[in-house]
């Protein structure tokens, strides 16, 4: 059983999640650590700096950016994770893979994305997000591309617990709807990268209108995560599988399912009543 974590305490997952928000030199160090973790625990500062084509100061700064007290503490924590058998990466599908190899990589990647998301899941933030959704008069959901699909999934789950929500996947409609929100409303922005300009603009408009905001992203230090009142993160690896990160979609759906479950627990009687009414209506419709 993988233990729940109320914060991103896994060092390798923290590095992977923060990597896009680091500067170019820090990213070089981070990527080298992710690619060669077993080697790094034996390297001096200058050795890691040389291998990553960065400076000693960058290595020290990187260590603190990912939550360590210094490079020594960073190596101790990294060694502990490796001793526990945790892996930070998983193989992506490549040209020339057999069907068997491709299937194994895809399933393994999706399972790993779920396990890693469980490790980084902030339970306090999850509770705050659920409370905000239940208290909202109106909920807007913004997503584009793959995030648009997740927006529809979230709307479906919210409706089943009696929370009325409207997904918006068109950039102009996102901003128009966000502008008309009030302090009684809530906006949810979904972006795997956390850098979708359309979702970012919509969340900013919603905040300006007085609404509370929630971000669902894979990167806890991304722009939409920073501006949201509550941020929930997945932990899928940035290994492309035919144009999309392996495990990203299944991790998003799992996070939505977890949020839905929290809502049902907080609104148990109302949810049971809503489900009974929905079942009765669908039964009559199907005849």
């Amino acid at each position: 059983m993988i233990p729940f974590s109320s914060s991103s305490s896994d060092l390798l997952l923290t590095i992977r999640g923060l990597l896009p928000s680091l500067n170019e030199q820090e990213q070089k160090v981070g990527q080298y650590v992710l690619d060669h973790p077993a080697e790094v625990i034996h390297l001096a500062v200058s050795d890691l700096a040389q291998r990553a084509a960065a400076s000693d100061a960058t290595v020290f700064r990187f260590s603190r950016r990912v939550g360590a007290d210094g490079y020594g503490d960073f190596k101790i924590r990294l060694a502990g994770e490796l001793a526990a058998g945790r892996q930070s990466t998983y193989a992506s599908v490549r040209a020339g893979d057999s069907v068997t190899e491709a299937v194994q990589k895809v399933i393994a990647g999706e399972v790993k994305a779920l396990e890693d998301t469980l490790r980084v899941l902030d339970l306090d933030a999850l509770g705050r997000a659920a409370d905000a959704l239940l208290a909202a008069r109106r909920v807007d959901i913004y997503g584009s591309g793959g995030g648009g699909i997740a927006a529809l999934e979230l709307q479906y789950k919210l409706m089943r617990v009696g929370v009325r929500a409207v997904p918006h996947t068109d950039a102009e409609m996102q901003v128009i709807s966000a502008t008309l929100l009030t302090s009684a409303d809530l906006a949810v922005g979904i972006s795997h990268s956390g850098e979708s300009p359309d979702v970012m603009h919509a969340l900013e408009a919603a905040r300006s209108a007085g609404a509370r905001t929630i971000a669902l992203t894979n990167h806890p230090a991304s722009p939409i995560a920073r501006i949201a009142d509550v941020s929930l993160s997945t932990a899928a690896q940035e290994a492309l599988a035919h144009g999309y990160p392996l495990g990203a979609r299944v991790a998003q759906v799992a996070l939505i399912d977890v949020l839905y479950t929290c809502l049902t627990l907080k609104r148990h009687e109302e949810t049971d009543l809503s489900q009974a009414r929905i079942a009765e209506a669908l039964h009559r419709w199907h005849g």
Side-chain angles (χ1 to χ4, degrees), residues 57-98:
T58 298
V59 174
F60 281 117
R61 188 169 58 249
F62 165 82
S63 299
R64 294 187 178 278
R65 285 291 302 273
V66 299
D69 293 331
Y71 185 60
D73 179 52
F74 173 82
K75 289 204 298 181
I76 291 172
R77 292 178 57 188
L78 180 58
E81 289 199 17
L82 295 179
R86 295 176 188 167
Q87 295 181 346
S88 63
T89 60
Y90 37 91
S92 58
V93 178
R94 301 181 183 279
D97 283 348
S98 67

Side-chain angles (χ1 to χ4, degrees), residues 5 7-8 13 17-18 113-123 125-126 129 189 191-194 214-222 224-226 230-236 248 251-252 254-256 258:
S5 172
S7 64
S8 184
L13 292 181
L18 293 179
L114 292 173
E115 292 176 344
D116 290 349
T117 296
L118 178 57
R119 285 196 175 97
V120 305
L121 187 60
D122 187 332
L123 298 184
L126 184 68
S191 169
H192 174 82
S193 68
I214 296 174
L216 272 59
T217 179
N218 199 66
H219 299 290
S222 62
I224 74 163
R226 289 197 300 267
V230 182
S231 177
L232 298 175
S233 298
T234 55
Q252 278 185 341
L255 182 56
I256 290 171
V258 167

Side-chain angles (χ1 to χ4, degrees), residues 13-34:
L13 292 181
T14 298
I15 295 171
R16 209 169 70 196
L18 293 179
L19 200 62
S21 66
L22 303 177
N23 66 41
E24 182 179 356
Q25 294 302 305
E26 292 168 346
Q27 284 185 13
K28 291 180 180 180
V29 177
Q31 192 60 60
Y32 194 88
V33 172
L34 290 175

Side-chain angles (χ1 to χ4, degrees), residues 13-185:
L13 292 181
T14 298
I15 295 171
R16 209 169 70 196
L18 293 179
L19 200 62
S21 66
L22 303 177
N23 66 41
E24 182 179 356
Q25 294 302 305
E26 292 168 346
Q27 284 185 13
K28 291 180 180 180
V29 177
Q31 192 60 60
Y32 194 88
V33 172
L34 290 175
D35 292 340
H36 311 280
E39 176 189 344
V40 169
I41 62 175
H42 302 293
L43 296 179
V45 171
S46 58
D47 294 329
L48 176 56
Q50 183 179 31
R51 284 165 170 76
S55 66
D56 291 6
T58 298
V59 174
F60 281 117
R61 188 169 58 249
F62 165 82
S63 299
R64 294 187 178 278
R65 285 291 302 273
V66 299
D69 293 331
Y71 185 60
D73 179 52
F74 173 82
K75 289 204 298 181
I76 291 172
R77 292 178 57 188
L78 180 58
E81 289 199 17
L82 295 179
R86 295 176 188 167
Q87 295 181 346
S88 63
T89 60
Y90 37 91
S92 58
V93 178
R94 301 181 183 279
D97 283 348
S98 67
V99 172
T100 299
E101 290 172 329
V103 168
Q104 290 175 340
K105 286 181 177 180
V106 169
I107 298 301
E110 295 195 345
V111 170
K112 187 70 163 60
L114 292 173
E115 292 176 344
D116 290 349
T117 296
L118 178 57
R119 285 196 175 97
V120 305
L121 187 60
D122 187 332
L123 298 184
D124 291 335
L126 184 68
R128 295 197 305 274
D131 289 337
L133 285 164
L134 291 175
R137 177 185 67 93
R138 165 184 163 188
V139 177
D140 268 10
I141 310 172
Y142 312 128
S144 58
I149 299 172
L152 294 171
E153 176 71 16
L154 179 57
Q155 180 209 24
Y156 175 73
K157 293 294 174 60
L158 292 178
M159 288 184 65
R160 296 193 71 90
V161 294
V163 176
R164 295 187 177 275
V166 179
H168 296 283
T169 58
D170 177 80
E172 185 172 338
M173 285 301 300
Q174 288 174 357
V175 174
I176 291 174
S177 185
T179 302
L180 299 177
L181 296 179
T182 71
S183 59
D185 303 321

